[in-house]
Amino acid sequence: MRFFLVAILFVFLNAKQTPTDLGDKSIVYLFKHNYYSYLCTHRWKYINQYLGKREDLLSVVAYACLKKHYLTYALDLAKNLRYTKEGRANSTYIISLFTIKNFLARYILDNFDLTSLKLPDIESDDLGKVFNLVKIQKPKIVNNKILLKNNDLNISVNYNLKTNEIIIKFFKNGELIKKDRYW
């Protein structure tokens, strides 16, 4: 019993302390401490503060949105990343992911032919990987859902019209191992 109490006390004392006011924390601090939602929901504060001055920081905020799969919010940053070569590259990456999401939705809802599309290959994000698999495998659409196979993974992709989300589920041996929601 004593060990149990000491263990609880240790966990409590070493738990990550959440700052009560994140507004005075730097973008880098917030990102390093995984406050992605905070950064993303306060994106306009950062856009207004750093537009035309610090695209590196705006890119960090955009990446925070991408970490949460908030593609729509990331677009607000993408349209403002235009003054530097790196900013424009980051903007293109964000816009490409958003475009991929929209084309996947068109495929699922309208059986839109993706084979002739030439978009950048994005292998660093599950949405880009799934898009490439859909182009190759051309899976059947059943109830706004498609099923893909990639090595030992089964992948389910569906589009929720009400929430405008692409939902990707990864299964291994019939067990859900990962779920991504792209909004």
Side-chain angles (χ1 to χ4, degrees), residues 39-66:
L39 284 167
C40 198
T41 57
H42 290 84
R43 66 196 175 285
W44 282 106
K45 167 188 163 185
Y46 300 118
I47 290 169
N48 291 330
Q49 185 175 358
Y50 295 115
L51 181 62
K53 301 173 194 161
R54 294 291 309 268
E55 286 199 348
D56 57 331
L57 294 177
L58 292 179
S59 292
V60 171
V61 175
Y63 190 58
C65 294
L66 294 180

Side-chain angles (χ1 to χ4, degrees), residues 68-69 71 97-109 125-128 130-131 134 144-146 155-161 163-169 179-183:
K68 298 300 286 184
H69 303 300
L71 299 178
L97 280 174
F98 187 78
T99 302
I100 285 169
K101 176 193 166 233
N102 284 336
F103 276 122
L104 280 175
R106 290 267 333 262
Y107 180 85
I108 292 169
L109 294 174
D125 191 278
D126 288 336
L127 188 66
V130 164
F131 180 75
V134 170
N144 290 345
K145 183 189 288 188
I146 54 178
I155 305 166
S156 164
V157 183
N158 75 308
Y159 176 72
N160 185 326
L161 188 59
T163 60
N164 192 27
E165 290 177 305
I166 292 283
I167 301 156
I168 306 172
K169 296 178 184 175
K179 181 178 177 180
D180 292 330
R181 301 174 82 92
Y182 289 87
W183 178 75

Side-chain angles (χ1 to χ4, degrees), residues 92-118:
T92 301
Y93 181 81
I94 294 164
I95 292 167
S96 296
L97 280 174
F98 187 78
T99 302
I100 285 169
K101 176 193 166 233
N102 284 336
F103 276 122
L104 280 175
R106 290 267 333 262
Y107 180 85
I108 292 169
L109 294 174
D110 306 324
N111 200 21
F112 183 78
D113 182 18
L114 301 176
T115 54
S116 64
L117 292 177
K118 300 290 183 204

